Amino acid sequence: MQIYEELVARGLIAQVTNEDEIREMINSGNAKFYIGFDCTADSLTAGHFMALTLMKRLQMAGNKPVALIGGGTTMIGDPAGRTDMRKMLTIEDIQHNAECFKKQMERFIEFGEGKAEMVNNADWLLKLNYVDVLRDVGPCFSVNNMLRAECYKQRMEKGLSFLEFNYMIMQSYDFYYLFKNYGCNMQFGGDDQWSNMLGGTELIRKKLGKDAHAMTITLLTDSQGKKMGKTAGNAVWLDPNKTSPYEFYQYWRNVGDSDVMKCIRMLTFLPLEQIDEMSKWEGSELNKAKEILAFELTKLVHGEQEANKAQEAARALFSNNADSANMPTTALDASLVADDGSVSVLDALCACGIAKSRGEGRRLIQQGGVSVDDNKISDPFALIGAADFEKGYVIIKKGKKVFHKITK
């Protein structure tokens, strides 16, 4: 099976322009493609996996990735998938985030001469003269068509700023610039970016002629992209200081039964033949599939040693073995410890991040979802006594799958 057919078989392709040309170019290793990453945080998330693993697959097949860091477009903010305007970041924040992205991407993609390239659209977007841009590329965009785009329609009721309205033009200009200056002939992105990405393809054709072979592919459905990489409203980060390898492993270990095979197919590098056999698994065998998914993805991001440690810790907890060596741990601030050595369960829940607030912690307790050392807590005002810390720690559990070790 050739690489394009593999991408289709893995369920990665959502929409394409001129598919026959795309298939031939990718299968022959002649695609030079880019994927953009706006620098809205100082770490990539599990939601970026689709793009990162795709770049790795295509590079392994001889194609050349261009990782586009959105130092310029982050100054505007993508309205897609938003109900409100993104927080405006300083240039210093964006530059710091871009450097963090680079380090994480190097775990997936091989950069260097003749290999993958990394570019930052701040290098050309921030130098543009606004009036020149309006005269040069403005006539290529229909305001009526832009307002029909899904990324803008969903914001019209609550209000779309003129700053955000320019995002499609800037993203389109990226493809135009990369096509002219880097020989980039293809762009990939999420399905929710389809209208923005088509803008780039059309801009190239209008400016450079219909024979300009600029191609667009979108990955995954919009709903799957929004769903992936978040748990209980929180992002799952690739930075181990923000999401520990154990927590990262646990996130993938806890995906729903209906999603596990889809994630294995799309995100891991296991052979399709093996995955097809696994697709027949049912019942308790799905837990084995979840372990495989969690281990493979943790190994990709944090290395095999950390993946092994996370797996051992998870298995010990699920089998009621008290081995907590690799469990995420929080040392309580001394101000949370009373004179008699006791600690409020609510304070402990908030300190370790299991609850975002005391109100959320109270609701978890009242719903019967919190245990301390396997003792269910029913009183929101309960204390963890000094004697409970005799072994040096206590283990707080939320539900059946979230564990955290607390020390003083």
Side-chain angles (χ1 to χ4, degrees), residues 130-339:
Y130 184 62
V131 175
D132 287 344
V133 173
L134 291 179
R135 289 178 59 86
D136 185 30
V137 305
C140 298
F141 291 85
S142 161
V143 170
N144 291 345
N145 288 340
M146 292 173 71
L147 291 176
R148 281 195 289 269
E150 194 62 35
C151 60
Y152 290 148
K153 278 199 302 184
Q154 61 191 0
R155 289 291 308 283
M156 294 304 290
E157 290 186 12
K158 290 196 173 181
L160 175 72
S161 73
F162 184 68
L163 176 68
E164 296 169 286
F165 188 65
N166 284 271
Y167 191 90
M168 181 185 291
I169 297 176
M170 294 297 97
Q171 182 171 335
S172 300
Y173 190 88
D174 281 342
F175 193 17
Y176 172 62
Y177 187 91
L178 291 170
F179 185 91
K180 282 205 317 177
N181 296 283
Y182 287 83
C184 209
N185 51 33
M186 199 176 294
Q187 60 177 335
F188 281 82
D191 197 37
D192 58 328
Q193 293 290 313
W194 181 246
S195 54
N196 285 349
M197 295 168 69
L198 281 184
T201 304
E202 290 302 310
L203 177 60
I204 290 170
R205 290 174 179 168
K206 288 176 180 177
K207 296 292 292 181
L208 302 178
K210 292 183 178 179
D211 293 333
H213 292 278
M215 285 155 271
T216 297
I217 302 181
T218 61
L219 303 169
L220 76 156
T221 63
D222 188 16
S223 58
Q224 183 68 19
K226 289 175 181 175
K227 180 179 179 181
M228 190 170 292
K230 290 192 175 182
T231 177
N234 299 317
V236 178
W237 305 99
L238 303 195
D239 182 345
N241 295 314
K242 296 167 78 72
T243 298
S244 72
Y246 173 82
E247 291 168 315
F248 187 84
Y249 177 96
Q250 284 292 81
Y251 168 71
W252 296 107
R253 173 63 180 78
N254 294 333
V255 298
D257 289 355
S258 61
D259 289 330
V260 59
M261 292 313 304
K262 183 187 299 183
C263 290
I264 287 175
R265 192 174 294 275
M266 291 193 297
L267 303 179
T268 76
F269 287 82
L270 297 176
L272 281 170
E273 296 79 8
Q274 179 181 349
I275 296 172
D276 289 340
E277 285 299 313
M278 292 170 62
S279 296
K280 302 172 186 175
W281 293 358
E282 296 178 350
S284 61
E285 289 180 310
L286 289 176
N287 285 327
K288 182 179 177 182
K290 293 176 186 181
E291 278 198 341
I292 291 171
L293 171 68
F295 181 83
E296 291 295 324
L297 298 189
T298 306
K299 182 173 71 172
L300 268 175
V301 175
H302 299 296
E304 189 164 3
Q305 183 178 1
E306 289 297 332
N308 280 321
K309 288 165 60 178
Q311 187 171 73
E312 289 168 8
R315 285 177 174 173
L317 289 166
F318 275 100
S319 64
N320 293 319
N321 185 324
D323 180 9
S324 63
N326 299 310
M327 192 184 301
T329 302
T330 295
L332 294 175
D333 187 278
S335 63
L336 300 178
V337 182
D339 292 341

Side-chain angles (χ1 to χ4, degrees), residues 335-368:
S335 63
L336 300 178
V337 182
D339 292 341
D340 63 359
S342 64
V343 176
S344 159
V345 173
L346 282 178
D347 284 343
L349 285 170
C350 294
C352 70
I354 286 180
K356 290 182 180 179
S357 65
R358 293 176 66 85
E360 181 182 333
R362 276 192 292 272
R363 286 191 294 274
L364 285 173
I365 292 171
Q366 289 165 351
Q367 292 164 4

